[in-house]
Structure formats: C-alpha cells, structure tokens
Amino acid sequence: MVALTPAELTLLGLLVEQPRHGYELDEVIAGRGMREWTEIGFSSIYYLLGRLRDRGLVAEVGAAPGTGRRKVFAATDEGRRACAEAAEEAIAVPRPVFPPVLVGLANLPAVPRDRLGPALERRAAALAEREREVRAAAGRPAPDFVRAIFDYSLAQLAAERAWLADYRAALGTGER
C-alpha cells in the first residue's frame, strides 16, 4: 500500500474525480469548504502535485484551454488504486488526533480559577461560530460524499459543545 499524507490523499481524490490544474484544485478546495478540515494552502498545491507526479500517482495530461500554460494533472491507474486504498484505510482505522484543548486541560493547574471561566466562554462562543460557518457551507449544493463531511463535522461540534456544557456546569462556570 502506498502511504499518503492527508493532503496528498485530498488532492489525489480530487484528481480521481476529474483532471484539474492547480488553480482549479484551489477553487474546489475553497468551494467545498475543505480548508476547514485539511491543511492545504494554495502555495502547497503545486508542491504536492510534484510529489504525487514523482511517485507515479498523477501525470500531466496537457494545458488547460484558455489558461496559457497551466498544467492539467490527472490520476494514473496506480493513483486511482492508491487513492481507493488510502481512503478506505482512512475511513476504517481511527487515528489519534492531537487537539490543543487537551494540552490546555493537561495544564489546568497553571490556569488561575478566575480565568478558566472566561476561557471556557470564549471556547463556547468559538464553537458556536464554527458551527454557523459549517452550517453555512453545508447549505450549498454538494455531492453526498461532501454532505457526509459536513455531517461528521457538525456531529463533532455538537459532541464538543455537550462536553463543554457539562464541564462548565460541573465547575459552576456556565449553565447547561
């Protein structure tokens, strides 16, 4: 099995859908709200395309009409196989995540009690804002597999909001 980073898998998947040039990849990433859950900046797209090309997973298939010299890339047969295997693995196998909130909780003894409540309030407000953003993005027309991403993200936000409400209630710093 070919090991792919999440960013490589994301780009490869977009090229499995259809051939695209770098600017088009950036437009799809922005349009689908993918920057909310992946760390692909515009400046890294061509670097990642080069890595995928060097591994034989994508190939340059020409220039985009009317764009001058923008190179269009497409997934190779090996790229399609690698994408399918890596996507299946990503779905099937839970991986640890390292959210900074856990580091903060591990260091709670260092936080003065009078500052904890306001910090939790800021987190609650940020979660509410994040949920509004995801709901707005989810309101746009999208394929079912993109809807699944939004549904998952909203479920995670709901779970964190529920944990936060319980924690704040236990501390007496907020109401459920």
Side-chain angles (χ1 to χ4, degrees), residues 6 25-26 53 56 68-69 74 80-81 98 106 118 129 141 145 156 159 161 171-172 176:
L25 287 164
D26 187 60
R53 182 199 58 226
R69 296 179 286 177
R80 289 177 186 284
R81 280 190 294 278
F98 307 101
E129 177 59 26
F145 67 93
Q156 284 187 312
R161 283 187 308 103
L171 292 175
R176 169 120 186 150

Side-chain angles (χ1 to χ4, degrees), residues 1 9 81-95:
M1 184 166 130
L9 178 56
R81 280 190 294 278
C83 182
E85 289 174 8
E88 182 181 344
E89 182 80 2
I91 291 167
V93 180
R95 300 271 192 259

